[in-house]
């Protein structure tokens, strides 16, 4: 999700310095409570402020003043930086709204006549419960009875259009609940919009933007260190990120670094943008965004196509070696494969260097295999059209195994990208060797022919390190 990066790394140093001053200043000024307990309420005009002062909960109107919402925002920049909205689809019509906590541990937003505009839908009976706005921006409701303290409900489990440090994007495998972002309908209208950012947990974990039923963009699969389509994430100093894979959850989460405020916002037109608060200038500065260029448009070049922003001409599409472009988009194999049902084959593989791996939605993943085992398995299965390493952490060619059947889509050249091995008929390989190693120049121990971004042979740049 980090995409084209503005060069603000140098500002990080400045931020680290001011972050400590900031926390001193806000905690000194912090008089508002961070807790809503049984029998208390928050009316329009009141706020909760987290203990360190970072976040504020209150009522706001992003557009028409007659539409009131309950939300949480960064205190430094006020309601221009709302990161969570409770009643996004049921605005209050006036400023008579009130937030209460009921005897069951539920949060209720009531209008002037006492009707429920929004509810946290908590079930169960908690004789004593309290809601607290934590300094992470998470509003948590805890069971207070008998010295309990267990979390009954938390806003981080119900994201709006914004991901902040500590929030999850992914899936709770135990409950089936999904942590995903949903865009606002318009910049001044928090109503549920058309676009969503979800983590695709089939195949390798991959963050995907959908608008309506159209898949718009993917970050590329998690390679153990970063999402393979986002080389900027390979620099871990700014926002250390991880994909948590546990029996009960798969989720992407990033950490706050020394109090630097950042947020990822899914815009109403489906672009995910990371903004960073620059303390000196007091502005939210765009840091990265996804999609960042034409090659990030999902499946831009069709099946077996290859997108390269360095290509000489638009639309930046070509085909994987051994394939040729079809009139209606996508690419077709030049020569049929030779593979019989019993797995005997003369087929071979060509390496496509430095790419965002294809969509792994329908791919088979085995994290425990070696790359060599992966090649053998793919070769022995006539329906396997390509394979790649699933994890680059060990260095070398990587480990683990992803195998694709059918078609591969959404392959692009990317900095620090991975190597993808695509099945080709033996006759194609001979042609590639002739193309890349003119006959009189073939070294006696020629490496297998490869193609990299520039379309020239033997390049070694762009390998996932
Ligand atoms: C909110 O609290 C005030 C003051 O304690 C009280 O008068 C009012 O009835 C409460 N409102 C609701 C809806 O609970
Ligand atoms: C706001 O007004 C509209 C139209 O009068 C009504 O349908 C809606 O229920 C009201 N919303 C609330 C929360 O009272
Ligand atoms: C609470 O439940 C109602 C009825 O099932 C549903 O319409 C509403 O979206 C739920 N609210 C939340 C915050 O999940
Ligand atoms: C609340 O916490 C107390 C103390 O741990 C526990 O005995 C009680 O069962 C909890 N209530 C619910 C409804 O889970
Ligand atoms: C983020 O912070 C948590 C808690 O401090 C820590 O366990 C985790 O390793 C951190 N993740 C990264 C990627 O630094
Ligand atoms: C696999 O099938 C091919 C063609 O039908 C045949 O020539 C070959 O002997 C078979 N190999 C094995 C191991 O059965
Ligand atoms: C995966 O399979 C489903 C069902 O056949 C298909 O609709 C979808 O397009 C496939 N996805 C990819 C990336 O090939
Ligand atoms: C070939 O791979 C496909 C997809 O992973 C799998 O469904 C099929 O069982 C495999 N065939 C053999 C013979 O292993």
């Amino acid at each position: 999700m980090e995409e084209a990066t503005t060069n603000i790394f140098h500002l990080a140093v400045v931020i680290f310095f001011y972050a400590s001053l900031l926390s001193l200043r806000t905690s000194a000024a912090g008089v508002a409570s961070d807790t809503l307990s049984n029998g208390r309420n928050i009316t329009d005009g009141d706020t909760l402020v987290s203990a360190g002062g970072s976040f504020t909960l209150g009522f706001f109107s992003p557009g028409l003043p007659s539409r009131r919402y309950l939300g949480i925002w960064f205190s430094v920049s006020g309601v221009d930086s709302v990161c969570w909205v409770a009643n996004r689809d049921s605005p209050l019509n006036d400023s008579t709204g009130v937030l209460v906590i009921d005897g069951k541990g539920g949060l209720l937003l009531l209008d002037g006549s006492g009707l429920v505009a929004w509810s946290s839908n908590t079930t169960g009976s908690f004789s004593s419960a309290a809601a607290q706005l934590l300094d992470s921006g998470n509003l948590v409701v805890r069971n207070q009875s008998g010295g309990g303290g267990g979390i009954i409900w938390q806003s981080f489990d119900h994201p709006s259009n914004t991901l902040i440090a500590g929030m999850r994007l992914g899936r709770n495998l135990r409950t089936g609940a999904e942590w995903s972002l949903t865009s606002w309908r318009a910049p001044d209208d928090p109503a549920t919009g058309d676009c969503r950012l979800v983590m695709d947990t089939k195949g390798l974990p991959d963050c995907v933007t959908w608008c309506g039923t159209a898949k718009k963009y993917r970050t590329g699969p998690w390679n153990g260190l970063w999402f393979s389509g986002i080389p900027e994430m390979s620099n871990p100093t700014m926002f250390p990120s991880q994909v948590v894979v546990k029996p009960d959850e798969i989720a992407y989460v990033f950490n706050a670094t020394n109090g630097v405020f950042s947020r990822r916002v899914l815009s109403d037109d489906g672009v995910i943008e990371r903004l960073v608060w620059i303390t000196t200038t007091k502005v939210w500065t765009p840091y990265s965004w996804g999609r960042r260029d034409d090659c990030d448009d999902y499946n831009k070049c069709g099946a077996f196509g290859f997108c390269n922003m360095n290509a000489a001409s638009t639309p930046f599409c070509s085909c994987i070696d051994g394939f040729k472009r079809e009139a209606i988009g996508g690419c077709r194999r030049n020569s049929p494969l030779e593979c019989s049902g019993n797995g005997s084959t003369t087929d071979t593989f060509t390496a496509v260097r430095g790419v965002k791996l294809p969509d792994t939605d329908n791919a088979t993943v085995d994290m425990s295999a070696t790359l060599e085992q992966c090649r053998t398995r793919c070769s022995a299965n006539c329906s396997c059209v390509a394979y790649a390493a699933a994890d680059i952490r060990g260095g070398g060619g990587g480990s683990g195994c992803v195998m694709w059947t059918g078609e591969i889509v959404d392959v692009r050249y990317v900095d620090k990208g991975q190597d993808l091995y695509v099945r080709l008929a033996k006759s194609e390989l001979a042609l590639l060797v002739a193309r890349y190693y003119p006959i009189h120049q073939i070294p006696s121990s020629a490496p297998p022919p490869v193609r990299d971004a520039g379309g020239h042979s033997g390049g070694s740049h762009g390998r996932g390190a």
Side-chain angles (χ1 to χ4, degrees):
M1 285 176 286
E2 305 281 355
E3 287 296 344
T5 307
T6 54
N7 187 17
I8 62 168
F9 270 100
H10 59 287
L11 286 172
V13 178
V14 179
I15 299 166
F16 293 160
F17 177 73
Y18 281 93
S20 44
L21 292 184
L22 176 79
S23 61
L24 285 177
R25 188 164 55 84
T26 47
S27 57
V31 287
S33 167
D34 68 348
T35 302
L36 173 67
S37 35
N38 267 6
R40 306 285 302 280
N41 63 49
I42 296 170
T43 54
D44 197 326
D46 286 347
T47 57
L48 288 184
V49 177
S50 65
S54 300
F55 290 89
T56 301
L57 174 147
F59 291 81
F60 72 105
S61 291
L64 294 174
S66 61
R67 295 187 170 194
R68 300 294 285 168
Y69 298 88
L70 179 78
I72 296 172
W73 55 84
F74 286 85
S75 304
V76 283
S77 46
V79 298
D80 290 339
S81 55
V82 167
C83 54
W84 182 76
V85 185
N87 55 323
R88 60 188 301 184
D89 290 309
S90 50
L92 297 161
N93 294 324
D94 53 35
S95 55
T96 60
V98 53
L99 179 70
V100 301
I101 186 159
D102 69 11
K104 296 178 183 141
L107 287 173
L108 301 178
L109 181 61
L110 308 175
D111 69 7
S113 59
L115 290 174
V116 177
W118 171 87
S119 152
S120 62
N121 283 351
T122 308
T123 54
S125 185
F126 300 88
S127 55
S128 174
Q132 185 181 20
L133 180 61
L134 304 183
D135 212 38
S136 61
N138 193 5
L139 178 66
V140 299
V141 179
R142 288 202 172 93
N143 168 13
Q144 301 286 80
S145 59
I151 291 177
I152 302 169
W153 180 92
Q154 54 184 337
S155 61
F156 273 16
D157 282 342
H158 305 275
S160 297
N161 70 339
T162 303
L163 201 67
I164 59 177
M167 286 177 78
R168 285 166 149 59
L169 188 76
R171 196 179 286 277
N172 181 326
L173 301 175
R174 192 168 38 80
T175 62
E178 189 178 70
W179 299 291
S180 61
L181 302 187
T182 313
S183 65
W184 287 20
R185 189 171 294 160
D188 63 354
D189 183 358
T192 299
D194 203 28
C195 299
R196 301 201 317 133
L197 178 71
V198 301
M199 177 177 269
D200 187 347
T201 53
K202 293 167 69 188
L204 289 171
D206 193 344
C207 300
V208 179
T209 307
W210 294 82
C211 288
T213 55
K215 211 178 216 181
K216 296 268 285 186
Y217 162 73
R218 12 172 244 118
T219 58
W222 182 254
N223 63 20
L225 295 173
W226 67 86
F227 291 105
S228 80
I230 311 180
E232 293 84 356
M233 282 179 80
S234 63
N235 180 339
T237 54
M238 266 309 250
F239 309 105
S241 297
Q242 66 189 118
V243 167
V244 180
V245 181
K246 294 198 295 206
D248 58 348
E249 74 171 283
I250 300 182
Y252 161 76
V253 61
F254 70 91
N255 282 358
T257 309
N258 295 353
V260 177
F261 290 139
S262 90
R263 56 189 171 117
R264 297 198 131 145
V265 181
L266 178 66
S267 71
D268 51 305
D269 56 356
V271 174
I272 176 82
E273 183 173 42
R274 189 197 280 273
L275 298 154
V276 177
W277 176 252
I278 307 299
T279 321
T280 46
T281 55
K282 297 200 187 316
V283 288
W284 286 99
T285 305
Y287 174 77
S288 61
W289 47 95
R291 100 218 251 272
R292 66 174 160 184
D293 60 29
D294 289 1
C295 280
D296 271 343
D297 288 340
Y298 181 73
N299 194 17
K300 180 178 174 62
C301 298
F304 297 102
F306 182 87
C307 195
N308 183 359
M309 290 306 294
N310 300 327
S313 64
T314 55
F316 312 112
C317 286
S318 59
C319 295
I320 285 169
D321 279 334
F323 292 77
K324 61 170 170 282
R325 211 130 184 91
E326 293 206 278
I328 49 156
C331 300
R332 184 160 44 96
R333 205 176 272 290
N334 292 330
S335 318
L337 298 173
E338 288 175 3
C339 187
S340 74
N342 64 12
S344 84
T345 182
T346 58
D347 298 339
T348 181
F349 293 94
T350 185
V352 186
R353 302 277 190 216
V355 299
K356 169 159 103 175
L357 292 179
D359 196 329
T360 65
D361 225 14
N362 300 323
T364 307
V365 177
D366 178 356
M367 299 305 291
S368 67
T370 66
L371 196 56
E372 291 68 34
Q373 286 167 338
C374 196
R375 184 187 185 94
T376 307
R377 278 184 210 173
C378 186
S379 180
N381 186 333
C382 295
S383 50
C384 180
V385 296
Y387 73 93
D391 188 338
I392 66 162
R393 274 175 298 181
S399 64
C401 180
V402 198
M403 293 195 292
W404 286 267
T405 54
E407 295 178 337
I408 54 176
V409 298
D410 205 31
V411 180
R412 67 164 297 173
Y413 168 69
V414 69
D415 237 15
K416 297 184 179 173
Q418 263 176 266
D419 295 348
L420 172 71
Y421 302 91
V422 179
R423 183 181 207 116
L424 289 185
K426 191 177 162 198
S427 56
E428 282 301 318
L429 197 73
L431 293 174
L432 291 179
V433 170
R435 172 152 25 131
Y436 293 133
Y437 299 102
I439 202 75
H440 54 278
Q441 288 177 13
I442 294 182
S444 54
S445 59
V450 298
R451 186 175 89 163
D452 65 12
H456 50 80
S457 67
S460 64
H461 75 275
R463 306 194 64 155

